[in-house]
Amino acid sequence: MMKKVISVFMIVVILIIGTFLFSKGEGNTEEADLNETLIEEEQREFGVVEEELNEVTDSIYSEVSKIVNGVHDVLNKITGFDSHERYIDPDSEFWDSAVSRMETQIRAIERTIEFAEGDVKADLEDFVKITKIAIANHDHQALIYSHRIIHDVDTMYNGLNKKVFNAARLSNRNEETSTIIQSIIDEASL
């Protein structure tokens, strides 16, 4: 969807530039006036397209923001306030209810990834990978980092005034955390 908006935006820019260049080469004042009128109309249309592009961008940001925040809320309920300790034992009965809730959150983030960009996109991809590992292996450490990644993305992306774990690229992931996350992913891939 974003690519379509950018394509329309580029076509409008090319039309404006082409019309401007065409009008520069004309010596006839009637044609120059007509070309100037066309340019003004295209600039107004460009302004409308630019406004629509901004509205789409704001809407996408808002939707990604809401989904990230909602997923973070669910992970807080699973892991928050030392609740994560219930998941240390891979055979714990608590995994059963957590797995279905986490699978729902993975699907929400997977639908969101295509609209995210840069570090946010990479962090959401990491969230999906590590949450799938937590589910598949009942891996307590993966569960912890799943929460930390989405917590940091929510905090940074949504401008919340919360402490960060530096588990997401968006929050300046540190080397130690990068190593741990990569180790969890590599071990699960074996």
Side-chain angles (χ1 to χ4, degrees):
M1 181 166 131
M2 187 65 148
K3 289 181 183 179
K4 285 183 182 178
V5 173
I6 291 172
S7 295
V8 170
F9 178 77
M10 293 305 295
I11 290 169
V12 171
V13 168
I14 290 168
L15 286 173
I16 290 172
I17 292 170
T19 304
F20 178 75
L21 291 175
F22 179 75
S23 70
K24 286 282 195 188
E26 296 296 322
N28 185 334
T29 56
E30 280 182 25
E31 286 183 37
D33 289 344
L34 178 60
N35 285 333
E36 191 173 309
T37 302
L38 288 173
I39 290 171
E40 288 172 4
E41 286 176 17
E42 287 173 350
Q43 287 173 338
R44 279 193 298 277
E45 288 175 21
F46 175 74
V48 169
V49 169
E50 188 175 37
E51 260 181 55
E52 289 172 356
L53 178 63
N54 288 338
E55 287 174 14
V56 167
T57 302
D58 291 347
S59 176
I60 289 170
Y61 180 89
S62 176
E63 287 306 308
V64 171
S65 172
K66 286 177 195 173
I67 290 169
V68 165
N69 185 259
V71 169
H72 181 208
D73 284 346
V74 170
L75 267 288
N76 273 343
K77 289 175 181 144
I78 294 171
T79 65
F81 304 107
D82 295 329
S83 295
H84 67 88
E85 291 176 358
R86 296 186 276 189
Y87 304 97
I88 292 173
D89 178 2
D91 295 323
S92 168
E93 64 191 48
F94 292 103
W95 276 104
D96 293 335
S97 65
V99 164
S100 65
R101 293 188 329 205
M102 290 190 300
E103 286 172 338
T104 301
Q105 303 320 302
I106 287 172
R107 286 190 298 276
I109 292 298
E110 285 175 331
R111 288 189 302 272
T112 304
I113 287 174
E114 72 178 280
F115 301 108
E117 296 177 347
D119 285 344
V120 175
K121 184 173 190 161
D123 287 333
L124 294 179
E125 288 168 346
D126 284 349
F127 169 82
V128 168
K129 285 180 200 171
I130 206 154
T131 306
K132 284 181 177 181
I133 293 166
I135 290 169
N137 301 332
H138 290 191
D139 185 325
H140 175 255
Q141 187 178 33
L143 176 64
I144 295 295
Y145 281 92
S146 170
H147 171 259
R148 288 181 179 179
I149 290 168
I150 202 69
H151 169 91
D152 285 3
V153 172
D154 188 25
T155 299
M156 301 302 292
Y157 192 70
N158 291 322
L160 306 176
N161 188 20
K162 293 183 176 183
K163 172 191 164 245
V164 293
F165 295 103
N166 294 329
R169 289 172 185 83
L170 200 58
S171 62
N172 297 316
R173 179 187 289 173
N174 60 43
E175 189 174 328
E176 178 185 352
T177 302
S178 290
T179 302
I180 293 169
I181 290 171
Q182 193 59 51
S183 172
I184 294 168
I185 292 169
D186 290 346
E187 286 177 26
S189 299
L190 298 176

